[in-house]
Amino acid sequence: MLMAMYSFSEEYDFVGKTIIPFNVHNGSCFSGTIATIQELEPNAKVITDGFTVNERDVAKAAGDVADWLQGLGY
């Protein structure tokens, strides 16, 4: 996880909030990020079915993103 995310976690109060992870990667997918977020924010609801896409597939991922968001109720 990027250091900026650790700082963001320290600065803001996520108690009772829902965190919906998503990212673009170069082969590592989430690589433990969701578990780290859960550890840093134990009083938040962390969606474990986050969206991740390889950087090579971003241009054609719009439909997948829309389907994922619809599955989350958005």
Side-chain angles (χ1 to χ4, degrees):
M1 198 163 76
L2 297 172
M3 289 307 298
M5 296 302 297
Y6 287 95
S7 299
F8 188 76
S9 177
E10 289 176 5
E11 190 169 332
Y12 292 95
D13 181 10
F14 289 95
V15 172
K17 305 292 186 196
T18 300
I19 299 171
I20 306 173
F22 61 94
N23 76 354
V24 175
H25 66 84
N26 187 22
S28 62
C29 296
F30 277 113
S31 183
T33 298
I34 293 175
T36 300
I37 294 169
Q38 290 173 313
E39 183 180 315
L40 292 172
E41 300 298 337
N43 297 310
K45 177 182 177 184
V46 180
I47 301 298
T48 57
D49 184 23
F51 185 82
T52 183
V53 62
N54 188 286
E55 66 182 2
R56 294 182 303 265
D57 300 324
V58 170
K60 57 186 176 189
D64 293 334
V65 172
D67 291 345
W68 173 68
L69 289 171
Q70 185 175 27
L72 292 174
Y74 295 97

